[in-house]
Amino acid sequence: MDNPQYKRTVIIIASGFDLILSAIVLLIYFGLFPVDISGWGIPRWVIGLVGGVWFAGSLAVLVYQLKKTDIQ
């Protein structure tokens, strides 16, 4: 686990998986997946906000790790 390349690979995989999950949440929010979110007891705008922030954060981490060139 001391290998920086291994850590970077794990972060890339984890952020890619997070990006996929957050995209699914956003697709549910926009109504493109047949999931009824009205029965969850959570306001619709909260689901959109959480999905959007989660998506943006995951995308930022993934882009940073993919553009990082100084592997030590």
Side-chain angles (χ1 to χ4, degrees):
M1 188 80 174
D2 292 334
N3 185 1
Q5 185 64 27
Y6 177 74
K7 290 179 184 178
R8 181 175 179 225
T9 303
V10 169
I11 292 172
I12 289 172
I13 291 170
S15 62
F17 188 68
D18 274 349
L19 193 67
I20 291 169
L21 289 177
S22 62
I24 290 171
V25 170
L26 284 177
L27 288 173
I28 290 171
Y29 170 72
F30 290 125
L32 298 175
F33 277 165
V35 177
D36 183 25
I37 59 175
S38 62
W40 292 357
I42 302 171
R44 185 174 176 82
W45 67 270
V46 171
I47 294 173
L49 179 68
V50 168
V53 170
W54 187 14
F55 184 83
S58 300
L59 184 63
V61 170
L62 183 63
V63 168
Y64 174 76
Q65 288 297 325
L66 290 175
K67 291 185 69 113
K68 190 172 159 181
T69 59
D70 56 339
I71 303 300
Q72 298 173 356

